[in-house]
Amino acid sequence: MASYLYRQTTVPTSEKKFTISTWMKISADTSVEKGIIEWYRSANDRYQVLIDTTGKMRIHSQVGGSTGINIYTDMLFRDPASWYNICIHNDTAESSATDRFKLWVNGEAQTFSTYSYTYNGSNINCFDGTSGDAVNVGVRDETSSKFFDGSLADTYYVDGSLIAYTQFGQTDSTSGIWKPNLSPTISSFGNAGFHLKYENSGNLGLDSSGNSLNMTASGTITQNVDTPSNNFATWNPLIPQGLAYANGNLSVTHDASSWKTAYGTLAMSGTGKYYFESKVSALGSYQGIGIVDAEQISASASKFGAESRGYGYKNDASKTNNNSDASYGATYTTGDIIMCAVDLNAGAIWWGKNGTWLNSATQSEIEAGTTTNAGYTSISNSYVYLPAVQIYGSGTNQLNAGSGYFGTTQVASAGTAPSGGGVFEYDCPTNYQSLSTKGINSF
């Protein structure tokens, strides 16, 4: 997304020693680099942390036109379904090259394949901290096209100190997953340090460090409820159907006369009731929205409704399963929002359009598990199901699994929210959950 946060820097406590920590959920687009944070005066004077086109994290520094630092991680950042916590210790005064830059990802120490210094190997300034230079979050090379496409949370820059990575996260004793520590002990942020919580929707650049070094938004930055504490499903670009993904993978686009399917990143299994919405941003020729067994996903061009455990609702007012269509509901087109309720306890699925359930179904019977007017019944809960959309022609679809956005457009008027969290355009049926980690874990 062509947006980022920026401000003019103050003279830092140190240009050699500092800590950077943030949580990030990335897209899988490898066509451009993804800038995370930078100090920028010009192409000859800059310090940057970014994900390059190979999927590696790169730390790059130039002062006065000479490359002082250019290192790459061995680790690849390619998972668009998960949140990463990164913590960087930067201290060029250390005598050993391997001690000058340290990185932890979700609590695990990482290695760098290349340590490259072209001048003054140790004790170098990583950037020129002259007052008035730019500090940017979410872009590389300031106003270039190398924007961070994804989500950021809890971004720290601690000037002049090395803060233990365990201050920013901890291992959950039950799940073993690395989770946020929302109250790290930081005695001083230094002169130029800041902390962005992204909690104030009217001022996402609000600095919570106490330094009052607020940032300004360039472009449109959206705030949603997808966080490291509650991770929401998006479309999954890692399944190679040749589709184009954007807006943090909430949008998927097809541009040819063939069937292709996009699949979600989180699954429904066992017992449970789930609700999600899908907006037809551009119809193309045909679209179908529903669920499919994860064992029946295809790496080649396909339509999920052709599978024996694929259940979809198409724009021509038909439902589809096992490559067989039957009359159902109403037609839909560009701009329509499709609702989908999946009850794995009852083995049924319902669809709705723009706030009205189809096939004479009602909200109360869906909540009660009465399957008389369901789209399909006898859906086995012995399988794991993913949300799916099949597109023929030049069409775009946008998934809202509870994040509160269709692409970059916020829901117009939020309906009743599920107890596990999530924001939808229409009322989520009672006892149904969003496709999120809290939603899945509530059953």
Side-chain angles (χ1 to χ4, degrees), residues 9 11 52 55-56 79 101 148 177 189 192-193 207 229 262 279 298 329 332 339 346 356 374 377 387-388 391:
T9 189
V11 177
D52 74 1
K56 294 183 176 183
D79 184 359
F101 306 96
F148 185 85
I177 295 173
F189 278 82
D207 174 25
S229 298
K279 184 173 183 178
S298 174
Y332 60 86
M339 309 133 69
T356 300
T377 58
I391 305 174

PDB file of all heavy atoms in Angstrom, residues 9 11 52 55-56 79 101 148 177 189 192-193 207 229 262 279 298 329 332 339 346 356 374 377 387-388 391:
ATOM      1  N   THR A   9      13.680  13.921  12.347  1.00  0.00           N
ATOM      2  CA  THR A   9      14.320  13.384  13.540  1.00  0.00           C
ATOM      3  C   THR A   9      14.890  14.481  14.423  1.00  0.00           C
ATOM      4  O   THR A   9      15.135  15.601  13.970  1.00  0.00           O
ATOM      5  CB  THR A   9      15.442  12.401  13.165  1.00  0.00           C
ATOM      6  OG1 THR A   9      15.904  11.750  14.344  1.00  0.00           O
ATOM      7  CG2 THR A   9      16.614  13.125  12.527  1.00  0.00           C
ATOM      8  N   VAL A  11      18.250  15.079  17.121  1.00  0.00           N
ATOM      9  CA  VAL A  11      19.611  14.555  17.235  1.00  0.00           C
ATOM     10  C   VAL A  11      19.600  13.399  18.225  1.00  0.00           C
ATOM     11  O   VAL A  11      19.167  13.559  19.375  1.00  0.00           O
ATOM     12  CB  VAL A  11      20.585  15.650  17.690  1.00  0.00           C
ATOM     13  CG1 VAL A  11      21.987  15.062  17.886  1.00  0.00           C
ATOM     14  CG2 VAL A  11      20.625  16.775  16.669  1.00  0.00           C
ATOM     15  N   ASP A  52      13.896  -7.931   1.509  1.00  0.00           N
ATOM     16  CA  ASP A  52      14.253  -7.782   0.100  1.00  0.00           C
ATOM     17  C   ASP A  52      13.446  -8.752  -0.765  1.00  0.00           C
ATOM     18  O   ASP A  52      12.588  -9.480  -0.278  1.00  0.00           O
ATOM     19  CB  ASP A  52      15.768  -7.936  -0.109  1.00  0.00           C
ATOM     20  CG  ASP A  52      16.248  -9.383  -0.004  1.00  0.00           C
ATOM     21  OD1 ASP A  52      15.420 -10.289   0.206  1.00  0.00           O
ATOM     22  OD2 ASP A  52      17.463  -9.602  -0.149  1.00  0.00           O
ATOM     23  N   GLY A  55      13.101 -12.445   0.097  1.00  0.00           N
ATOM     24  CA  GLY A  55      12.447 -12.810   1.338  1.00  0.00           C
ATOM     25  C   GLY A  55      13.334 -12.698   2.557  1.00  0.00           C
ATOM     26  O   GLY A  55      12.895 -13.001   3.676  1.00  0.00           O
ATOM     27  N   LYS A  56      14.583 -12.255   2.375  1.00  0.00           N
ATOM     28  CA  LYS A  56      15.496 -12.086   3.505  1.00  0.00           C
ATOM     29  C   LYS A  56      15.354 -10.682   4.097  1.00  0.00           C
ATOM     30  O   LYS A  56      14.987  -9.740   3.398  1.00  0.00           O
ATOM     31  CB  LYS A  56      16.946 -12.302   3.069  1.00  0.00           C
ATOM     32  CG  LYS A  56      17.252 -13.724   2.629  1.00  0.00           C
ATOM     33  CD  LYS A  56      18.722 -13.893   2.281  1.00  0.00           C
ATOM     34  CE  LYS A  56      19.040 -15.340   1.941  1.00  0.00           C
ATOM     35  NZ  LYS A  56      20.488 -15.539   1.663  1.00  0.00           N
ATOM     36  N   ASP A  79       6.024 -16.107   5.303  1.00  0.00           N
ATOM     37  CA  ASP A  79       4.746 -16.598   5.804  1.00  0.00           C
ATOM     38  C   ASP A  79       3.769 -15.433   5.950  1.00  0.00           C
ATOM     39  O   ASP A  79       3.888 -14.623   6.861  1.00  0.00           O
ATOM     40  CB  ASP A  79       4.953 -17.272   7.166  1.00  0.00           C
ATOM     41  CG  ASP A  79       3.668 -17.890   7.704  1.00  0.00           C
ATOM     42  OD1 ASP A  79       2.629 -17.775   7.036  1.00  0.00           O
ATOM     43  OD2 ASP A  79       3.714 -18.489   8.793  1.00  0.00           O
ATOM     44  N   PHE A 101      25.511  -6.649  15.298  1.00  0.00           N
ATOM     45  CA  PHE A 101      24.124  -6.702  14.846  1.00  0.00           C
ATOM     46  C   PHE A 101      23.540  -8.047  15.256  1.00  0.00           C
ATOM     47  O   PHE A 101      24.031  -9.085  14.842  1.00  0.00           O
ATOM     48  CB  PHE A 101      24.033  -6.526  13.325  1.00  0.00           C
ATOM     49  CG  PHE A 101      24.707  -5.292  12.847  1.00  0.00           C
ATOM     50  CD1 PHE A 101      26.005  -5.337  12.383  1.00  0.00           C
ATOM     51  CD2 PHE A 101      24.059  -4.068  12.908  1.00  0.00           C
ATOM     52  CE1 PHE A 101      26.649  -4.186  11.963  1.00  0.00           C
ATOM     53  CE2 PHE A 101      24.696  -2.918  12.500  1.00  0.00           C
ATOM     54  CZ  PHE A 101      25.989  -2.970  12.020  1.00  0.00           C
ATOM     55  N   PHE A 148       5.822  -0.959   2.688  1.00  0.00           N
ATOM     56  CA  PHE A 148       5.523  -2.177   3.424  1.00  0.00           C
ATOM     57  C   PHE A 148       4.069  -2.554   3.178  1.00  0.00           C
ATOM     58  O   PHE A 148       3.158  -1.836   3.588  1.00  0.00           O
ATOM     59  CB  PHE A 148       5.772  -1.968   4.923  1.00  0.00           C
ATOM     60  CG  PHE A 148       5.588  -3.222   5.730  1.00  0.00           C
ATOM     61  CD1 PHE A 148       6.628  -4.122   5.850  1.00  0.00           C
ATOM     62  CD2 PHE A 148       4.385  -3.510   6.346  1.00  0.00           C
ATOM     63  CE1 PHE A 148       6.466  -5.307   6.570  1.00  0.00           C
ATOM     64  CE2 PHE A 148       4.207  -4.681   7.067  1.00  0.00           C
ATOM     65  CZ  PHE A 148       5.257  -5.574   7.181  1.00  0.00           C
ATOM     66  N   ILE A 177       3.555 -20.572  21.673  1.00  0.00           N
ATOM     67  CA  ILE A 177       3.655 -19.525  20.659  1.00  0.00           C
ATOM     68  C   ILE A 177       4.230 -18.254  21.278  1.00  0.00           C
ATOM     69  O   ILE A 177       3.924 -17.909  22.427  1.00  0.00           O
ATOM     70  CB  ILE A 177       2.270 -19.249  20.045  1.00  0.00           C
ATOM     71  CG1 ILE A 177       1.783 -20.492  19.288  1.00  0.00           C
ATOM     72  CG2 ILE A 177       2.302 -18.041  19.114  1.00  0.00           C
ATOM     73  CD1 ILE A 177       0.354 -20.384  18.796  1.00  0.00           C
ATOM     74  N   PHE A 189      14.084   6.050  26.562  1.00  0.00           N
ATOM     75  CA  PHE A 189      14.040   5.893  25.114  1.00  0.00           C
ATOM     76  C   PHE A 189      15.135   6.695  24.422  1.00  0.00           C
ATOM     77  O   PHE A 189      15.259   6.633  23.195  1.00  0.00           O
ATOM     78  CB  PHE A 189      12.670   6.330  24.585  1.00  0.00           C
ATOM     79  CG  PHE A 189      11.602   5.279  24.689  1.00  0.00           C
ATOM     80  CD1 PHE A 189      10.918   5.086  25.872  1.00  0.00           C
ATOM     81  CD2 PHE A 189      11.287   4.474  23.609  1.00  0.00           C
ATOM     82  CE1 PHE A 189       9.926   4.117  25.982  1.00  0.00           C
ATOM     83  CE2 PHE A 189      10.301   3.497  23.698  1.00  0.00           C
ATOM     84  CZ  PHE A 189       9.622   3.317  24.895  1.00  0.00           C
ATOM     85  N   ALA A 192      15.911  10.405  20.760  1.00  0.00           N
ATOM     86  CA  ALA A 192      15.141  10.260  19.516  1.00  0.00           C
ATOM     87  C   ALA A 192      14.249   9.030  19.499  1.00  0.00           C
ATOM     88  O   ALA A 192      13.633   8.717  18.480  1.00  0.00           O
ATOM     89  CB  ALA A 192      16.091  10.222  18.318  1.00  0.00           C
ATOM     90  N   GLY A 193      14.148   8.317  20.616  1.00  0.00           N
ATOM     91  CA  GLY A 193      13.359   7.096  20.646  1.00  0.00           C
ATOM     92  C   GLY A 193      11.866   7.346  20.591  1.00  0.00           C
ATOM     93  O   GLY A 193      11.379   8.420  20.958  1.00  0.00           O
ATOM     94  N   ASP A 207       3.164   8.963  19.352  1.00  0.00           N
ATOM     95  CA  ASP A 207       4.306   8.410  20.078  1.00  0.00           C
ATOM     96  C   ASP A 207       3.926   8.219  21.546  1.00  0.00           C
ATOM     97  O   ASP A 207       3.559   9.171  22.229  1.00  0.00           O
ATOM     98  CB  ASP A 207       5.498   9.351  19.952  1.00  0.00           C
ATOM     99  CG  ASP A 207       6.683   8.920  20.803  1.00  0.00           C
ATOM    100  OD1 ASP A 207       6.788   7.717  21.115  1.00  0.00           O
ATOM    101  OD2 ASP A 207       7.500   9.797  21.161  1.00  0.00           O
ATOM    102  N   SER A 229      -2.079 -10.519  18.951  1.00  0.00           N
ATOM    103  CA  SER A 229      -2.865 -11.196  19.980  1.00  0.00           C
ATOM    104  C   SER A 229      -4.105 -11.868  19.408  1.00  0.00           C
ATOM    105  O   SER A 229      -4.711 -12.724  20.068  1.00  0.00           O
ATOM    106  CB  SER A 229      -3.286 -10.202  21.071  1.00  0.00           C
ATOM    107  OG  SER A 229      -2.148  -9.657  21.713  1.00  0.00           O
ATOM    108  N   ALA A 262      -8.711 -18.760  -4.880  1.00  0.00           N
ATOM    109  CA  ALA A 262      -7.916 -18.265  -3.753  1.00  0.00           C
ATOM    110  C   ALA A 262      -8.432 -18.921  -2.485  1.00  0.00           C
ATOM    111  O   ALA A 262      -9.652 -19.089  -2.309  1.00  0.00           O
ATOM    112  CB  ALA A 262      -8.008 -16.749  -3.642  1.00  0.00           C
ATOM    113  N   LYS A 279     -16.525  -9.524  -0.331  1.00  0.00           N
ATOM    114  CA  LYS A 279     -17.083  -8.478  -1.192  1.00  0.00           C
ATOM    115  C   LYS A 279     -16.597  -8.658  -2.628  1.00  0.00           C
ATOM    116  O   LYS A 279     -15.406  -8.860  -2.881  1.00  0.00           O
ATOM    117  CB  LYS A 279     -16.675  -7.095  -0.689  1.00  0.00           C
ATOM    118  CG  LYS A 279     -17.315  -5.959  -1.496  1.00  0.00           C
ATOM    119  CD  LYS A 279     -17.041  -4.604  -0.867  1.00  0.00           C
ATOM    120  CE  LYS A 279     -17.749  -3.488  -1.628  1.00  0.00           C
ATOM    121  NZ  LYS A 279     -17.530  -2.168  -0.996  1.00  0.00           N
ATOM    122  N   SER A 298      -5.806 -27.009  -4.808  1.00  0.00           N
ATOM    123  CA  SER A 298      -5.049 -27.325  -6.014  1.00  0.00           C
ATOM    124  C   SER A 298      -4.001 -26.259  -6.273  1.00  0.00           C
ATOM    125  O   SER A 298      -4.250 -25.072  -6.098  1.00  0.00           O
ATOM    126  CB  SER A 298      -5.986 -27.411  -7.219  1.00  0.00           C
ATOM    127  OG  SER A 298      -5.248 -27.576  -8.412  1.00  0.00           O
ATOM    128  N   GLY A 329     -30.760 -19.142  -4.075  1.00  0.00           N
ATOM    129  CA  GLY A 329     -30.575 -17.748  -3.731  1.00  0.00           C
ATOM    130  C   GLY A 329     -30.890 -16.772  -4.831  1.00  0.00           C
ATOM    131  O   GLY A 329     -31.883 -16.899  -5.548  1.00  0.00           O
ATOM    132  N   TYR A 332     -25.711 -12.124  -7.858  1.00  0.00           N
ATOM    133  CA  TYR A 332     -24.964 -11.009  -7.250  1.00  0.00           C
ATOM    134  C   TYR A 332     -23.946 -10.476  -8.244  1.00  0.00           C
ATOM    135  O   TYR A 332     -23.613 -11.147  -9.229  1.00  0.00           O
ATOM    136  CB  TYR A 332     -24.318 -11.402  -5.921  1.00  0.00           C
ATOM    137  CG  TYR A 332     -23.319 -12.539  -5.947  1.00  0.00           C
ATOM    138  CD1 TYR A 332     -21.975 -12.329  -6.235  1.00  0.00           C
ATOM    139  CD2 TYR A 332     -23.717 -13.842  -5.613  1.00  0.00           C
ATOM    140  CE1 TYR A 332     -21.058 -13.371  -6.206  1.00  0.00           C
ATOM    141  CE2 TYR A 332     -22.808 -14.892  -5.578  1.00  0.00           C
ATOM    142  CZ  TYR A 332     -21.474 -14.640  -5.879  1.00  0.00           C
ATOM    143  OH  TYR A 332     -20.571 -15.680  -5.844  1.00  0.00           O
ATOM    144  N   MET A 339     -22.399 -13.020   2.663  1.00  0.00           N
ATOM    145  CA  MET A 339     -22.224 -13.534   4.014  1.00  0.00           C
ATOM    146  C   MET A 339     -22.146 -15.062   3.953  1.00  0.00           C
ATOM    147  O   MET A 339     -22.828 -15.691   3.128  1.00  0.00           O
ATOM    148  CB  MET A 339     -23.406 -13.114   4.888  1.00  0.00           C
ATOM    149  CG  MET A 339     -23.708 -11.620   4.831  1.00  0.00           C
ATOM    150  SD  MET A 339     -25.466 -11.285   4.600  1.00  0.00           S
ATOM    151  CE  MET A 339     -26.122 -11.818   6.181  1.00  0.00           C
ATOM    152  N   ALA A 346     -23.588 -28.917  13.049  1.00  0.00           N
ATOM    153  CA  ALA A 346     -24.765 -29.385  12.310  1.00  0.00           C
ATOM    154  C   ALA A 346     -24.411 -29.869  10.911  1.00  0.00           C
ATOM    155  O   ALA A 346     -25.261 -30.454  10.224  1.00  0.00           O
ATOM    156  CB  ALA A 346     -25.799 -28.266  12.224  1.00  0.00           C
ATOM    157  N   THR A 356     -29.185 -10.042   3.949  1.00  0.00           N
ATOM    158  CA  THR A 356     -30.353 -10.922   3.918  1.00  0.00           C
ATOM    159  C   THR A 356     -29.912 -12.353   3.647  1.00  0.00           C
ATOM    160  O   THR A 356     -29.229 -12.623   2.649  1.00  0.00           O
ATOM    161  CB  THR A 356     -31.350 -10.480   2.833  1.00  0.00           C
ATOM    162  OG1 THR A 356     -31.791  -9.144   3.106  1.00  0.00           O
ATOM    163  CG2 THR A 356     -32.567 -11.407   2.803  1.00  0.00           C
ATOM    164  N   ALA A 374     -30.774 -24.476   4.716  1.00  0.00           N
ATOM    165  CA  ALA A 374     -29.327 -24.323   4.498  1.00  0.00           C
ATOM    166  C   ALA A 374     -28.980 -24.544   3.028  1.00  0.00           C
ATOM    167  O   ALA A 374     -29.712 -25.200   2.282  1.00  0.00           O
ATOM    168  CB  ALA A 374     -28.567 -25.319   5.362  1.00  0.00           C
ATOM    169  N   THR A 377     -26.188 -29.447   3.457  1.00  0.00           N
ATOM    170  CA  THR A 377     -26.162 -30.151   4.728  1.00  0.00           C
ATOM    171  C   THR A 377     -25.283 -31.393   4.569  1.00  0.00           C
ATOM    172  O   THR A 377     -24.740 -31.653   3.496  1.00  0.00           O
ATOM    173  CB  THR A 377     -27.576 -30.551   5.171  1.00  0.00           C
ATOM    174  OG1 THR A 377     -28.168 -31.381   4.158  1.00  0.00           O
ATOM    175  CG2 THR A 377     -28.452 -29.314   5.376  1.00  0.00           C
ATOM    176  N   PRO A 387     -11.888 -21.034   3.827  1.00  0.00           N
ATOM    177  CA  PRO A 387     -12.686 -20.153   2.975  1.00  0.00           C
ATOM    178  C   PRO A 387     -12.066 -20.106   1.587  1.00  0.00           C
ATOM    179  O   PRO A 387     -10.838 -20.241   1.439  1.00  0.00           O
ATOM    180  CB  PRO A 387     -12.605 -18.796   3.676  1.00  0.00           C
ATOM    181  CG  PRO A 387     -11.363 -18.865   4.494  1.00  0.00           C
ATOM    182  CD  PRO A 387     -11.206 -20.291   4.903  1.00  0.00           C
ATOM    183  N   ALA A 388     -12.895 -19.943   0.565  1.00  0.00           N
ATOM    184  CA  ALA A 388     -12.375 -19.983  -0.803  1.00  0.00           C
ATOM    185  C   ALA A 388     -13.225 -19.103  -1.714  1.00  0.00           C
ATOM    186  O   ALA A 388     -14.407 -18.891  -1.463  1.00  0.00           O
ATOM    187  CB  ALA A 388     -12.359 -21.416  -1.327  1.00  0.00           C
ATOM    188  N   ILE A 391     -12.734 -17.515  -9.264  1.00  0.00           N
ATOM    189  CA  ILE A 391     -12.939 -16.355 -10.145  1.00  0.00           C
ATOM    190  C   ILE A 391     -12.654 -16.765 -11.582  1.00  0.00           C
ATOM    191  O   ILE A 391     -11.661 -17.439 -11.865  1.00  0.00           O
ATOM    192  CB  ILE A 391     -12.015 -15.178  -9.751  1.00  0.00           C
ATOM    193  CG1 ILE A 391     -12.205 -14.804  -8.284  1.00  0.00           C
ATOM    194  CG2 ILE A 391     -12.276 -13.962 -10.643  1.00  0.00           C
ATOM    195  CD1 ILE A 391     -11.225 -13.744  -7.797  1.00  0.00           C
TER     196      ILE A 391
END
